[in-house]
Amino acid sequence: GTLQAPPLGQARIVLYGLPTGDLLSPGQLQHVNLGGPDRQLRAGNRIGASVNSSKLGQAASVQPSYIIGNSYRDPAVALGDVTYDWSYKANEEIWDRWFASGVPKNLTASDLATGKLANPRMRPLSSESAALAALKNIDQAASKLLVEGMFNLNSTSVEAWKALLGSTANSASVVATPGDSFITFDPATGNDPAARYARTLITNQIAGGFASVGGDARWSGPIKLSDAQLTDLAKGIVQRIKDRVKIMGRPFSSLSEFINRPAGKELGLLQESLDQKKLPDGTPGGTSLSGGRLNNDFLGQFIDGTVEPEGAPGAIRQGDLLQSVGSFINVRSDTFRIRAYGEKRNEQTGAVEGRAWCEALVQRVPTYINSSVPAEAKITPADPVNFIFGRRFEIKSFRWLNSSEI
């Protein structure tokens, strides 16, 4: 708990969650112990992934926890040593190669007809019964699904990021009270309308975004983010995206590139934003939402009097954000609004005699240009049409515009 004395602090802290239903986001895999096979898990899967291991007596007893979705420097690897970054590699393999469809094993034709899957963001590309087997096939499911409301992580809109971060206000959570009873916080009934991030399905109590060092709430969670905190967090994320894109000279090209820490940094972009005391432009960003970093001494010595041990359930981490929104994020868009303009000029005077504006909504779909090749097949130079042009773009709507709509 918050103090070392045995009679004080929390008697029960929920650190990890076991799946109780279909996996809906790769971010939920943060609870899997993947800290690396070269070190035995002898002292527990430590929550202090940024701890200086020399203070713990045995470096081999510590390994990074919650490595999926988070990106920390391994605390047990000395500066200058060469080893695998397990978190980096795990994020690269999982986020860039896999997704959670939410398709249950017992999916029926009637479920397919209604378009309702365990993940409400997933929409079947077809309601035909022939698609049923493909949706249950690990190699074909992605070619039969679309994501509703996919969010492009390269967005530099503060309002868009705020909307994404605040989207958890629309979901319910179960909280265990000290008396071992349970309360459901459900915004649909007006109970707990704030944006809320829970690391596990069942938690102890709600922690405010500014929980004090001595408060037990920091060791339980989930954490609630106020409107002002969401604004500051969104501003910090957007500024860091702009800074990183400027350095790279291009947008982020994969989910793992966005999630993982770049060379020379100890944290991922989202975690840097959660840890901020000031926004990147220098304006105050308030108290660190993540609870800050541990100092060299693991047992209770903090960087200052306003922070908590990073990793406590009431201290939000990058992986907690991705656990909630990981099922509908990407680094590109697949649906575009395209507008065009044309005019007719008098050949003699050059005066404009007519103007026209039009708008089309175009969507990229899994089907290849050469549709004789299955959508799940890997393309090669032997198929030049698909190798060069890739997937089809379909015109979903078209309309003429009036000048007042421009």
Side-chain angles (χ1 to χ4, degrees), residues 67-71 84-98 254-260:
I67 72 172
I68 305 299
N70 291 296
S71 184
Y84 284 109
D85 185 330
W86 295 107
S87 184
Y88 192 100
K89 293 300 294 182
N91 285 327
E92 194 175 59
E93 289 296 313
I94 291 175
W95 287 96
D96 290 347
R97 299 184 60 189
W98 301 91
S254 70
L255 286 177
S256 68
E257 185 176 49
F258 183 92
I259 292 168
N260 277 328

Side-chain angles (χ1 to χ4, degrees), residues 57-118:
Q58 284 188 320
S61 67
V62 181
Q63 59 178 273
S65 61
Y66 308 112
I67 72 172
I68 305 299
N70 291 296
S71 184
Y72 294 94
R73 178 185 63 82
D74 190 330
V77 178
L79 185 65
D81 285 357
V82 178
T83 186
Y84 284 109
D85 185 330
W86 295 107
S87 184
Y88 192 100
K89 293 300 294 182
N91 285 327
E92 194 175 59
E93 289 296 313
I94 291 175
W95 287 96
D96 290 347
R97 299 184 60 189
W98 301 91
F99 78 106
S101 69
V103 175
K105 293 181 179 179
N106 59 349
L107 182 71
T108 65
S110 59
D111 295 331
L112 193 60
T114 59
K116 294 181 179 179
L117 302 176

Side-chain angles (χ1 to χ4, degrees), residues 10-277:
Q10 285 278 355
R12 175 182 59 195
I13 301 175
V14 182
L15 294 178
Y16 299 96
L18 295 175
T20 58
D22 296 309
L23 189 71
L24 302 183
S25 165
Q28 290 175 266
L29 296 175
Q30 71 166 324
H31 298 279
V32 179
N33 176 25
L34 293 174
D38 59 335
R39 282 178 278 126
Q40 296 296 319
L41 185 65
R42 295 203 293 268
N45 197 13
R46 297 288 189 181
I47 64 174
S50 60
V51 184
N52 182 332
S53 60
S54 64
K55 298 292 183 178
L56 295 175
Q58 284 188 320
S61 67
V62 181
Q63 59 178 273
S65 61
Y66 308 112
I67 72 172
I68 305 299
N70 291 296
S71 184
Y72 294 94
R73 178 185 63 82
D74 190 330
V77 178
L79 185 65
D81 285 357
V82 178
T83 186
Y84 284 109
D85 185 330
W86 295 107
S87 184
Y88 192 100
K89 293 300 294 182
N91 285 327
E92 194 175 59
E93 289 296 313
I94 291 175
W95 287 96
D96 290 347
R97 299 184 60 189
W98 301 91
F99 78 106
S101 69
V103 175
K105 293 181 179 179
N106 59 349
L107 182 71
T108 65
S110 59
D111 295 331
L112 193 60
T114 59
K116 294 181 179 179
L117 302 176
N119 185 346
R121 292 277 185 170
M122 294 292 176
R123 291 286 184 264
L125 189 60
S126 170
S127 60
E128 297 177 2
S129 58
L132 191 61
L135 284 171
K136 295 181 180 181
N137 186 302
I138 190 173
D139 295 317
Q140 298 178 5
S143 67
K144 304 300 180 184
L145 289 168
L146 298 177
V147 181
E148 184 176 17
M150 180 77 81
F151 184 83
N152 189 337
L153 294 174
N154 282 300
S155 171
T156 54
S157 166
V158 172
E159 289 303 314
W161 269 101
K162 184 178 178 181
L164 175 73
L165 298 168
S167 62
T168 58
N170 297 320
S171 59
S173 66
V174 179
V175 176
T177 67
D180 286 332
S181 59
F182 297 91
I183 299 174
T184 298
F185 287 83
D186 187 357
T189 62
N191 190 14
D192 187 39
R196 180 179 58 261
Y197 287 91
R199 190 167 304 156
T200 55
L201 179 64
I202 297 180
T203 59
N204 282 359
Q205 53 186 303
I206 299 292
F210 296 105
S212 64
V213 169
D216 284 346
R218 205 42 138 178
W219 291 90
S220 53
I223 191 170
K224 295 194 301 182
L225 302 184
S226 67
D227 186 77
Q229 288 172 315
L230 288 174
T231 299
D232 285 345
L233 181 56
K235 288 180 178 178
I237 292 172
V238 166
Q239 186 58 54
R240 286 178 174 84
I241 290 173
K242 291 179 178 178
D243 293 344
R244 286 279 302 279
V245 167
K246 184 176 181 180
I247 292 172
M248 295 188 298
R250 57 171 175 78
F252 291 96
S253 60
S254 70
L255 286 177
S256 68
E257 185 176 49
F258 183 92
I259 292 168
N260 277 328
R261 60 190 179 92
K265 286 185 175 288
E266 295 201 359
L267 305 171
L269 183 151
L270 293 178
Q271 192 64 51
E272 278 191 344
S273 302
L274 289 166
D275 286 357
Q276 66 191 7
K277 290 296 185 65

